[in-house]
Amino acid sequence: MNRPAAAPGPTQDDRRWHALAASEALEALQSSPQGLTAPEAGQRLEQYGRNELPPPPKRSPLLRFLLQFHNVLIYVLLAAAAVTLLLGHLVDSGVILGVVVINAIIGFVQEGKAEKALEAVQAMLASQAVVLRGGQRHEIRAAELVPGDIVLLASGDRVPADLRLVRSKNLRINEAALTGESAPVEKSAAAVGEQAVLAERASMCYSGTGVTFGQATGVVVATGGQTELGRIGKLVAGVAHLATPLTRKLEQFARRITAFIIAASAVTFAFGHYVHGFGAVEMFLAVVGLAVAAIPEGLPVIVTITLAIGTQAMARRNAIVRRLPAVETLGSVTVICSDKTGTLTRNEMTAVRAILPTRTIEVSGAGYAPDGGFSVDGETLDPATADDLLHFARCGLLCNDAEVRHAEGEWRLAGDPTEGALVTLALKCGLDRGDEAGSLPRVDEIPFESEHRYMATLHHDHAGHARVYLKGAPERVLSLCRAQANGQPIDRAYWDERLHAAARDGQRVLALAACELPRNTTALSMDDVTDRFTLLGLAGMIDPPRPEAVEAVAQCQAAGIRVKMITGDHSVTAAAIGAQLGLDAEHALAGQEIEGLDEAALAERIAGTDVVARASPEHKLRLVDALQARGEIVAMTGDGVNDAPALKSADIGVAMGHKGTDAAREASDVVLTDDNFASIANAVHEGRTIFDNIKKSLLFILPTNGGQAGVILLAVFLGLALPVTAVQILWVNMVTTVTLAIALAFEPAESGVMQRPPRPPAEPLITRLVLARVVYVSVLVMGVTFAMFQWELGRGVALEEARTAAVNMLVLAQIVYLFNSRRFVAHAFAPGMLTGNPIALWAALGLIALQMAFTYLPLMQSLFHTAPIGLEVWLRMVALAMLVFLLVEIEKAVLRRLGVVRL
């Protein structure tokens, strides 16, 4: 029946929803227990707007641009520009400002891109909500909720809007985000007093709070800025900032090197002025050139660009980084603890075996499509003639919250995969959910929780008889059963043998049972679930490993990363799946065994296996602690609300984007949008690549800056004419920052990035090998530049021409060293060295074009005091540049002979 659209009151008045009865609230909102229709929801969405809080204020573009100058490195350069301007050296001052402004523009543009990337990540991580619309369950974005929507809540969900409860079951809500009360509070659908304060409104669930236990149904009474959270101006989540431990470490390094450069510049000025008698202005300009040459002002920008590129690359590979420090930590991971279902496997459960008291029935078909048949010992079975199978399938269908629907040409699941398999099994038996629910409507239920490991539902027929259907872990259900469906007592030996047989085949097993309660029983409690049930049978289901997960596990193992599978399945089942994945599954560790081990024994035991079975969320937390006690860097996956402590405790918490709860996602560092283990391996690959590229940028910037500064230092201390003037060195610094330094941020991964052991987390950024490379290349660059300058002077050319040759020599040496830097120790003679990173090639060609202009354009000659040079000079410079290239390659060859794989 169509209802008129709601008036605009519900989200705009101060109606005391908590004091109204549930039926009165529904009436006021012009809704019903079946929810709104799609047209009504669309009309209300247009009327009230999206269920989103007002966005936080953003920094203006002008402020973001000005903040690019808020850096100690830039302050030194600006001071130098001001003094040179006062001295009347307009060109020098203009070039210094050019360096600073170009650096600021690059930073401004890349920061804008990074913010957009983070906004895209927030959109990809938008909360979902399960609603009833027209009596059908739908999963929609929380932003599309409207007043009058009926929302279904379960453990681990984040409440998506302000709700008036219609019905609840053992519901507890963590309202710390709203009230500051850390302990979860109990909720119920009963109305409370009109004057009840916010923390005492037990009939309300407020936006931004979290469900810690139980289930509930509620009607939306307020959305967006009209919610309690919106009214007091709090935000559910903030935007991530680009500061990370690595960038802070680099900023600290920059401050130290700046202090050192200033001190070195003062010593150089004093030595040149007082020892060699150079003029004060001349020496000041020389030390300005020295400072600008040595200060790595582009380094923070390069790191920001590299991190932004890396997080976007991860997002393209289905791994959303919520906290940027995770990018750095990923490169150090030594152990990945992964859930089995849906992460290492397909999460497309299919019931393939119905184990009944008197026979075992094989089921054909795969996935959620109700296609397939039944057979016993190879003989086809008509399910319509098999009462034991029908009773078994009916239990699996009714004690079930999943829905399997045909939409857009395929069968889709809404709900838990194991429940979906039971729904599909019932459909194959010819049972119709609507008919069965009409004959035996559900009155109450006990939802599945990991603590009790079963789900129970209470049903009435139309004569008042009360029946309970039960499904859950076989050991738990068997302990609650007195008899079998054939009237015989429970034969534990028979069922244990069937359980082991199914487990050996890699099947997950659920037990199904039923019992009668007194007539007209209307409520179901834990006290009703005792050893009174009749066992109907076991359902054997398979969830095959993902082919890409098998490959990813092998890739991680080759990278020195151990993969440990953690599952709630039976030990034998877990071992079977683990073996298929290539894990060490011979001595699986069971949850019961974990409980009997102390911390030291657990740390020793977990080192000897890759498979953990029958594990609870509490066990996960202990496993993380045990592995970390052994010095491991642990990545842990999780999807439930109870996984949050383990996700937070792990070095990298990885939540599932599809099946994961909001609580798990908020506790995580990385979210997988496809719930696929291969995406974790891809994230580790990208994390290692990002860190490598940052380190390569350091290996390029520091020695080239050192070589530039060394040229000036050598000339001053030898009392010789400067091979390059201050303004020329400023030019070199400006154009190389724009071109060469940025190219390494786009470097693809080295071929062996996943064949080497993880990076030790305590390893310093500047290792001894890195420092040795920096000094070695600095000396080479300085040497060839000085040699070229002296060669040209020895030929009797003018000083301007000799300096022009020296500047070009400096640039050519940096160009060839860029291609050395693309690999840490691997040789640079591979076919893809020129084409593997097109940015590097185009940067080099662009820089050569700039140097042609610098050398031959009259305007540039006037500004920078350059002169044209002949072909033979270029040939000498190319020869010396190739010498630098070869000498660096020789050093890399020596390192390879010594077994070094990375610096």
Side-chain angles (χ1 to χ4, degrees), residues 436-595:
E436 297 298 327
S439 300
L440 286 170
R442 185 189 297 190
V443 178
D444 201 0
E445 75 274 333
I446 297 175
F448 181 88
E449 296 287 350
S450 57
E451 287 79 6
H452 51 254
R453 296 168 60 203
Y454 63 74
M455 173 183 179
T457 54
L458 173 64
H459 302 264
H460 281 180
D461 64 13
H462 297 289
H465 298 102
R467 180 179 300 168
V468 177
Y469 283 129
L470 179 77
K471 78 169 190 299
E475 294 93 335
R476 184 70 174 117
V477 174
L478 280 167
S479 71
L480 296 170
C481 292
R482 287 184 176 179
Q484 304 173 167
N486 61 351
Q488 299 298 314
I490 291 292
D491 183 351
R492 284 304 298 256
Y494 170 83
W495 294 110
D496 286 345
E497 194 280 326
R498 294 295 185 274
L499 273 171
H500 280 85
R504 284 194 299 272
D505 293 336
Q507 295 176 10
R508 181 173 183 178
V509 182
L510 284 180
L512 280 68
C515 77
E516 304 294 325
L517 289 185
R519 290 172 62 89
N520 298 318
T521 300
T522 58
L524 184 64
S525 71
M526 303 286 284
D527 294 336
D528 296 315
V529 184
T530 61
D531 58 344
R532 66 201 305 171
F533 285 83
T534 297
L535 182 65
L536 303 179
L538 306 177
M541 292 169 276
I542 59 171
D543 181 16
R546 297 174 182 260
E548 63 271 26
V550 177
E551 182 180 342
V553 167
Q555 187 182 26
C556 287
Q557 291 169 337
I561 302 170
R562 288 196 72 175
V563 177
K564 296 188 182 295
M565 182 183 77
I566 301 177
T567 176
D569 283 342
H570 191 279
S571 296
V572 181
T573 305
I577 297 295
Q580 294 177 44
L581 287 161
L583 302 177
D584 179 3
E586 188 174 349
H587 304 290
L589 174 62
Q592 188 174 4
E593 185 181 350
I594 293 175
E595 293 174 359

Side-chain angles (χ1 to χ4, degrees), residues 333 554-562 684 688 753-758:
V333 166
Q555 187 182 26
C556 287
Q557 291 169 337
I561 302 170
R562 288 196 72 175
V684 172
R688 290 187 174 190
V753 71
M754 290 296 280
Q755 277 77 51
R756 66 184 188 220

Side-chain angles (χ1 to χ4, degrees), residues 208-225:
T209 59
V211 181
T212 61
F213 190 83
Q215 293 179 324
T217 302
V219 59
V220 175
V221 299
T223 58

Side-chain angles (χ1 to χ4, degrees), residues 11 40 113 183 272 292 409 431 462-463 478 648 660 785 788 795 860:
T11 63
E40 285 173 335
K113 288 183 178 179
V292 175
L431 300 179
H462 297 289
L478 280 167
K648 286 184 176 179
T785 303
M788 191 67 205
R795 291 176 56 235
M860 302 295 278

